[in-house]
């Protein structure tokens, strides 16, 4: 209760500060906002968007601050502690709960039409009834495949009729130990792999009220077993050690694996690789007991202690506009979240069936999160690989993971 009061006090103080603080531009001076991002490939688009914002707000300049992703969260935490975080910055779903619950972010729900974004993304960035971020982009997962390897093996390309069984049978035909070639890469990746099959099996990662783990549910274990079997039973995937020695994506691009589950974000990198020209494409994920795919996306948030709260909120709102999302789409780097702007992204790389990533949104499930996602996500990363490499039984691993996750959730 004390913690709630303290946090409520901090949040109230921050909001009051925003409401009562007069910014530099209110006084007739120029303002420079800082905008924190982590992807260098998106910097040109972010700078172009910032420039367009300045055209409409001549007294406001936006400085895009790039921090590499490996350092982004550590640097952000330090700057938040010191009261010097960027005025506006990127936020992801796993970190959102902790930042929103700590009063670090300013609410935004009165400044945008939220019906213009996928509801699952809007809900991701809502905390206790308040909207703290406008969706910037989104990604879903597809089945990337090597057409040349399929043609050589006489296997039909994947389509929307594929199921888990279809994929397994195709992977068997595409595996050739003599060539060191495998049908599919099956690493213990959450967003790309097992979250999707957990949902397709009817399981869950965390309950809707964020109080209970789903890892001791039989349907959840079924969704995990699919991947463990591809490695240890069907032997159509490289081993865990082989995928540790060489990244699965590299195995795919080098023609050592014929299929991989991969995000929409892979498209722009594959398109720039001349060695893949004409060789690969992407299809909708094979169906389990039901169709499902994980959707995740970034949001733009406003720092509650910004010295320029009015301008920061205006810029964050502009970042969520149709104009800004069209600029993002033209680069091909990400799928913009604003309604009606996605076709530009699809058209930017006509060699791939990118529309499947949009079609999957109809049955997408939000990326699993809780207030302190990192506490149990670390346990996923430590425990599940012991089932993937066959050193432990999956049922036992799942039970231990559920117990550890429940303990972490109880502390939230």
């Amino acid at each position: 209760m004390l913690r709630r009061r303290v946090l409520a006090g901090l949040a109230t103080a921050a909001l009051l500060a925003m409401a009562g603080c007069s910014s530099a531009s209110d006084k007739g001076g120029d303002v420079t906002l800082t905008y924190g991002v982590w992807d260098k490939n998106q910097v040109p688009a972010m700078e172009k968007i910032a420039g367009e914002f300045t055209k409409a707000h001549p007294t406001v300049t936006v400085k895009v601050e790039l921090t590499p992703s490996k350092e982004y969260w550590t640097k952000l935490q330090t700057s938040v502690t010191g009261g010097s975080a960027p005025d506006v910055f990127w936020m992801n779903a796993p970190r959102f709960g902790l930042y929103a619950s700590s009063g670090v972010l300013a609410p935004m729900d009165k400044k945008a039409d939220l019906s213009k974004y996928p509801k699952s993304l809007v809900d991701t960035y809502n905390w206790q009834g308040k909207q703290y971020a406008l969706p910037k982009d989104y990604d879903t997962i597809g089945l990337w495949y090597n057409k040349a390897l399929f043609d050589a093996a006489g296997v039909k390309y994947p389509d929307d009729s594929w199921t888990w069984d279809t994929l397994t049978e195709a992977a068997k035909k595409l595996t050739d130990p003599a060539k060191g070639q495998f049908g599919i890469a099956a690493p213990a990746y959450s967003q790309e792999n097992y979250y999707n099959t957990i949902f397709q099996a009817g399981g869950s990662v965390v309950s809707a009220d964020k109080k209970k783990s789903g890892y001791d549910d039989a349907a959840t274990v079924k969704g995990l077993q699919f991947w463990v079997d591809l490695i240890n039973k069907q032997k159509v995937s490289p081993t865990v050690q082989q995928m540790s020695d060489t990244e699965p994506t590299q195995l795919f691009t080098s023609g050592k694996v014929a299929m991989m589950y991969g995000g929409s974000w892979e498209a722009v990198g594959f398109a720039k690789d001349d060695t893949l020209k004409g060789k690969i494409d992407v299809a909708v994920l094979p169906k389990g007991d039901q169709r499902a795919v994980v959707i995740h996306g970034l949001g733009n948030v406003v720092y509650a202690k910004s010295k320029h709260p009015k301008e920061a909120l205006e810029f964050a709102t502009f970042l969520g506009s149709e104009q800004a999302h069209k600029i993002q789409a033209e680069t091909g780097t990400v799928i913009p979240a604003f309604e009606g702007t996605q076709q530009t992204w699809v058209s930017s790389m006509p060699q791939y069936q990118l529309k499947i990533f949009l079609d999957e949104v109809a049955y997408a499930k939000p990326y699993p999160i809780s207030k302190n996602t990192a506490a149990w996500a670390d346990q996923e990363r430590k425990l599940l690989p012991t089932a993937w490499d066959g050193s432990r039984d999956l049922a036992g691993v799942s039970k231990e993971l559920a117990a550890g996750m429940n303990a972490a959730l109880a502390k939230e």
Side-chain angles (χ1 to χ4, degrees):
M1 181 61 75
L2 176 61
R3 176 174 170 74
R4 289 182 183 175
R5 288 174 177 170
V6 169
L7 292 178
L10 288 173
T12 301
L15 296 179
L16 287 175
M18 290 189 65
C21 178
S22 61
S23 64
S25 64
D26 290 338
K27 299 173 182 176
D30 291 343
V31 167
T32 297
L33 297 175
T34 51
Y35 179 33
V37 307
W38 65 68
D39 182 358
K40 66 179 181 181
N41 293 323
Q42 295 191 52
V43 168
M46 298 303 105
E47 290 179 336
K48 185 174 183 180
I49 292 170
E52 292 299 315
F53 177 76
T54 297
K55 287 181 181 178
H57 302 77
T59 62
V60 184
T61 301
V62 180
K63 179 183 179 183
V64 178
E65 294 185 339
L66 173 67
T67 303
S69 58
K70 289 184 178 180
E71 303 163 18
Y72 183 85
W73 296 107
T74 301
K75 182 178 177 181
L76 182 61
Q77 183 176 348
T78 301
S79 62
V80 164
T81 302
S84 59
D87 299 288
V88 180
F89 53 92
W90 286 2
M91 177 57 60
N92 69 12
R95 307 277 179 165
F96 170 69
L98 208 54
Y99 278 80
S101 64
S102 299
V104 173
L105 310 179
M108 301 182 64
D109 45 345
K110 295 181 180 179
K111 296 292 289 186
D113 180 359
L114 299 179
S115 69
K116 297 297 184 182
Y117 313 98
K119 185 178 184 303
S120 55
L121 285 183
V122 172
D123 292 345
T124 294
Y125 291 108
N126 189 290
W127 180 260
Q128 296 184 340
K130 289 184 180 294
Q131 196 69 28
Y132 286 93
L134 295 184
K136 170 187 172 295
D137 55 47
Y138 70 78
D139 46 66
T140 56
I141 308 300
L143 176 63
W144 289 95
Y145 60 97
N146 186 314
K147 294 189 291 185
L149 296 183
F150 270 69
D151 290 343
V155 179
K156 185 180 176 183
Y157 296 160
D159 58 29
D160 62 4
S161 71
W162 273 38
T163 65
W164 290 4
D165 289 340
T166 318
L167 179 141
T168 302
E169 291 306 310
K172 290 178 182 177
K173 296 176 182 176
L174 290 158
T175 298
D176 187 343
K179 297 180 180 177
Q181 177 183 308
F182 295 91
I184 189 167
Y189 289 172
S190 56
Q191 183 182 2
E192 294 93 330
N193 290 353
Y194 61 79
Y195 281 173
N196 299 286
T197 50
I198 285 173
F199 292 135
Q200 290 174 353
S204 67
V205 176
V206 61
S207 61
D209 63 5
K210 316 298 184 188
K211 294 183 177 180
K212 186 177 184 303
S213 169
Y215 277 110
D216 52 0
D217 181 88
T220 301
V221 176
K222 181 179 179 180
L224 297 171
Q225 190 72 55
F226 172 73
W227 295 102
V228 173
D229 284 350
L230 289 174
I231 295 180
N232 299 316
K233 182 179 179 181
Q234 307 297 345
K235 300 189 183 303
V236 295
S237 166
T239 65
V240 170
Q241 184 60 54
Q242 288 172 316
M243 291 185 284
S244 176
D245 293 340
T246 307
E247 286 286 325
T249 301
Q250 187 176 345
L251 290 169
F252 175 72
T253 57
S254 64
K256 292 298 182 183
V257 299
M259 296 180 283
M260 60 171 270
Y261 281 29
S264 45
W265 62 84
E266 300 281 11
V268 67
F270 290 160
K272 292 178 180 177
D273 187 340
D274 290 337
T275 66
L276 298 177
K277 190 174 183 179
K279 291 183 179 178
I280 69 168
D281 205 343
V282 65
V284 65
L285 288 187
K287 183 182 177 183
D289 292 338
Q290 60 189 19
R291 287 211 176 278
V293 67
V294 171
I295 185 171
H296 177 257
L298 303 186
N300 286 300
V301 297
V302 175
Y303 182 38
K305 293 184 179 178
S306 168
K307 294 179 180 177
H308 312 291
K310 176 176 174 288
E311 291 82 1
L313 186 57
E314 288 177 345
F315 177 56
T317 302
F318 182 75
L319 287 167
S321 69
E322 182 176 12
Q323 181 182 356
H325 283 238
K326 283 183 175 178
I327 292 173
Q328 283 193 99
E330 291 166 356
T331 68
T333 51
V334 292
I335 305 175
F338 195 94
E339 180 182 80
T341 61
Q342 293 83 16
Q343 185 56 44
T344 302
W345 176 79
V346 171
S347 301
S348 70
M349 289 168 280
Q351 66 271 43
Y352 304 137
Q353 300 178 72
L354 298 183
K355 187 174 179 296
I356 67 100
F357 290 109
L358 312 186
D359 295 340
E360 290 181 324
V361 174
Y363 47 82
K365 303 287 187 180
Y367 187 98
I369 58 171
S370 67
K371 180 179 176 180
N372 189 8
T373 308
W376 49 266
D378 284 345
Q379 297 182 53
E380 288 178 333
R381 286 189 287 271
K382 291 176 182 175
L383 289 173
L384 290 178
T386 63
W388 254 248
D389 68 13
S391 62
R392 290 189 63 192
D393 176 69
L394 176 60
V397 170
S398 298
K399 186 176 181 180
E400 182 179 343
L401 176 54
M405 185 172 167
N406 283 332
L409 292 170
K411 296 177 181 177
E412 292 187 356

